[in-house]
């Protein structure tokens, strides 16, 4: 602290000292990006380790990204330099000699990803107790990125298995900028004991925020040009206002990142200035991403990264001048995380939000006339200003990850008895504690039928003909699916990867890494695609997906359309579009009649979150009424308004839907990495826990029916 010239600690850093130094409680620290969460954890941890140093890994830091591990390694190494506390990092890019040195003499602080920790269990299972026997703390960084995901279940299972190995509870410290309901997040940091987690949340709210929402209209939506007018307008404004500083532009989808990065590079070339705009997303080669990150950190090189969630995390990329968001943010939590990248060093945080739409005429589809992307953007910003964000989702079964952890456990110990495996993996405090003994037995039978597992005469579970090669392959360590991909190269340098199912042929023009290319050759046997610079082209589809919209966001969208408040932060075009949407909403009388005819279909407007909306669609489809989610609405295909009312009444007044019957009618339930080994019954159990909210859906149907009947 003296070396850094600090005159005082921030509130959350001050509060963390007694909580962490005590070493007997889990701690959840919530604060904005760059608010000193890392120091809040490691100042007291290092103080404790300095007084109680010894052999063995004493503090374990788990981060979601290798780049974040590298960044935090630099910070902790500097912090520990004068304390004689060794700091180590472990991931796929760390030299083998450094790993061997740690294995020979474990000590100090280890920074690692969940995948590398999994590899330790599988490859060095007999050494786990020796390596971590002295463990005093576990720090989980960017906790929000793990919550509710397969990767999060994997990490919590690993931590549970570590505690079983060392035969004691190890305090966990969760760090995050965006958690919403902190008590729910605490319950996921320490499953079954969230009420015992000490919650520390920064009260600091004094940062100045400058923001604007700008809308751009494509007056000719049916033209064949590669780029519509709205995209060109947004690119023009970004180019004019971001050059000369360091910024982040979040474009949600990787294909949109490529589109805007190429548009901005084109403008740099056309005006004869150096290009400051570069793409950054998960399909790009590591070297290209690191080049962009290095430019962001260099104060002498103005750089704007057009990115996805890859730069949401707490990687140190220096002082960010402005943050731009193109299209509605995936969630309010995500928007909060992104905005937190701007406004460091006592400067204001700046958010520029952009919406693209088409000109409205008599032929414009009904939903487009409501300007829902703009309304969702405003709703998200308003909720952000009120300091609300989405709470963690309820726990899922995560059976795919349970399979991974079961195979890892067997590899760790060379075999496992079923009862012991259930106790370790599904016992109290495990992320799989909701899995019953009957479900676990069904899982073992399913894995046996697939030759993933085999059982000896005394009941010991061993890896089977399918399980052995699965565990021995490097892809096993990740809980998520790794798709087969092409490698894109230019003059021997790898640019990145793209999905194998994208149609490629010689002469194809495409946009990648923010540049324009022509496919020179496709080598199917090696899955290598050679590229050469060329004009034109479009970004490839890169498996992009949008976030799930929360119930609270949709409620706020309805309030905006029914109200008359015009936010001060929206530009004149956005004001015009908002007023236009409100007039359309009033003309359709959606406030009193949320069931309307749209051609041969009927649209329902329950203004609820995606989970309930998809469940309601499943309920209708099970009743043989064709239904599909269409943005914020539910479309009943080929159904008249009267027939829709009748169907709604049957849903509300009839017997409650059986969620398992709904799940059985869903064809594509196997979506996670090892789901293909699950039985149909287990797939249904998992789908119900992850995707359905029958009670909420029926409540929505009842509200729709009641509102329409009042009319």
């Amino acid at each position: 602290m003296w070396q850094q010239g600090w005159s005082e600690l921030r509130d959350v850093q001050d509060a963390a000292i007694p909580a962490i130094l005590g070493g007997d409680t889990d701690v959840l620290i919530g604060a904005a990006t760059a608010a000193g969460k890392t120091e809040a954890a490691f100042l007291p941890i290092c103080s404790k380790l300095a007084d109680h140093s010894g052999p063995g890994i004493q503090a374990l830091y788990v981060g979601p990204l290798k780049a974040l591990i590298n960044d935090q390694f630099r910070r902790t190494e500097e912090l520990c330099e004068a304390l004689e506390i060794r700091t180590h990092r472990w991931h796929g890019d760390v030299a083998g000699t450094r790993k061997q040195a740690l294995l020979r003499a474990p000590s100090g602080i280890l920074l690692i990803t969940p995948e590398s920790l999994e590899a330790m269990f599988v490859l060095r299972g007999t050494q786990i107790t020796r390596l971590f026997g002295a463990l005093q703390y576990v720090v989980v960084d960017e906790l929000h990125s793990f919550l509710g995901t397969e990767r999060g279940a994997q990490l919590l299972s690993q931590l549970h298995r570590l505690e079983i190995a060392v035969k004691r509870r190890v305090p966990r410290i969760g760090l995050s900028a965006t958690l919403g309901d902190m008590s729910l997040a605490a319950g996921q940091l320490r499953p079954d004991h969230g009420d015992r987690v000490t919650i520390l949340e920064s009260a600091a709210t004094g940062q100045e925020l400058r923001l604007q929402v700008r809308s751009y209209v494509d007056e000719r939506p049916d033209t064949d040009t590669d780029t519509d007018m709205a995209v060109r307008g947004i690119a023009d404004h970004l180019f004019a206002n971001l050059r000369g500083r360091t910024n982040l532009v979040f474009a949600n989808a990787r294909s949109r990142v490529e589109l805007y990065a190429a548009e901005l590079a084109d403008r740099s070339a056309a005006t004869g200035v150096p290009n400051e705009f570069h793409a950054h997303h998960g399909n790009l080669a590591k070297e290209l991403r690191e080049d962009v990150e290095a430019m962001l950190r260099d104060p002498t090189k103005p750089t704007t990264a057009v990115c996805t969630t890859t730069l949401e995390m707490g990687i140190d990329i220096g002082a960010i001048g402005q943050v731009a968001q193109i299209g509605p943010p995936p969630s309010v939590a995500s928007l909060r995380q992104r905005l937190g990248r701007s406004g460091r060093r006592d400067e204001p945080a700046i958010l520029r939000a952009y919406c693209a739409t088409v000109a409205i005429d008599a032929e414009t589809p009904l939903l487009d006339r409501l300007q829902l992307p703009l309304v969702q953007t405003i709703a998200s910003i308003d909720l952000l200003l009120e300091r609300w964000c989405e709470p963690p989702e309820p726990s899922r079964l995560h059976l795919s990850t349970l399979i991974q952890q079961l195979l890892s456990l067997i590899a760790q110990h060379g075999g496992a008895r079923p009862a012991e495996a259930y106790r370790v993996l599904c016992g109290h405090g495990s992320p799989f504690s909701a899995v019953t003994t009957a479900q676990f037995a069904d899982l073992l039978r399913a894995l046996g039928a697939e030759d993933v597992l085999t059982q000896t005469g005394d009941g010991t579970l061993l890896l089977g003909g399918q399980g052995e090669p699965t565990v021995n392959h490097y892809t096993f360590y990740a809980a998520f699916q790794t798709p087969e991909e092409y490698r894109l190269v230019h003059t021997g340098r790898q640019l990145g990867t793209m999905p194998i199912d994208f149609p490629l042929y010689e002469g194809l023009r495409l946009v990648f890494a923010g540049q324009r290319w022509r496919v020179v050759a496709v080598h199917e046997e090696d899955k290598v695609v050679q590229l050469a610079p060329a004009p034109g082209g479009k970004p490839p589809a890169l498996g992009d997906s949008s976030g799930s919209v929360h119930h609270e966001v949709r409620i706020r969208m309805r309030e905006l359309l029914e109200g008359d408040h015009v936010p001060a932060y929206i530009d004149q075009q956005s004001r015009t579009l908002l007023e236009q949407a409100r007039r359309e909403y009033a003309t359709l009388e959606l406030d009193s009649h949320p069931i309307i005819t749209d051609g041969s279909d009927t649209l329902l407007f329950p203004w609820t979150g995606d989970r309930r909306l998809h469940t309601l669609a499943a309920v209708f489809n099970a009743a043989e009424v064709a239904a599909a989610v269409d943005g914020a609405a539910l479309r009943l295909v080929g159904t008249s308004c009267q027939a829709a009312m009748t169907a709604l009444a049957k849903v509300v007044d009839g017997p409650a839907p059986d969620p398992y019957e709904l799940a059985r009618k869903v064809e594509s339930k196997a979506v996670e990495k090892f789901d293909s080994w699950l039985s149909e019954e287990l797939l249904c159990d998992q789908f119900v826990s992850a995707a359905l909210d029958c009670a909420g859906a029926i409540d929505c149907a009842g509200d729709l029916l009641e509102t329409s009947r009042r009319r």
Side-chain angles (χ1 to χ4, degrees), residues 538-585:
K538 293 182 179 180
L542 296 172
D544 300 316
S545 61
S546 56
S548 179
V549 181
H550 192 272
H551 177 74
E552 198 66 32
V553 175
R554 291 263 165 76
I555 292 296
R556 184 57 59 93
M557 290 171 66
R558 182 182 65 190
E559 292 173 354
L560 278 166
L561 288 167
E562 293 180 356
D564 56 9
H565 172 64
V566 179
Y569 56 77
I570 66 175
D571 74 341
Q572 185 56 52
Q573 181 69 272
S574 300
R575 291 169 184 254
T576 300
L577 293 172
L578 179 60
E579 289 304 317
Q580 182 185 76
R582 285 171 168 167
R583 287 195 301 271
E584 190 69 31
Y585 187 91

Side-chain angles (χ1 to χ4, degrees), residues 157-171:
S157 178
Q158 291 169 340
L159 300 184
H160 185 64
R161 290 166 62 190
L162 268 181
E163 291 184 338
I164 290 175
V166 302
K167 296 182 172 59
R168 57 188 170 81
R169 179 183 157 280
V170 180

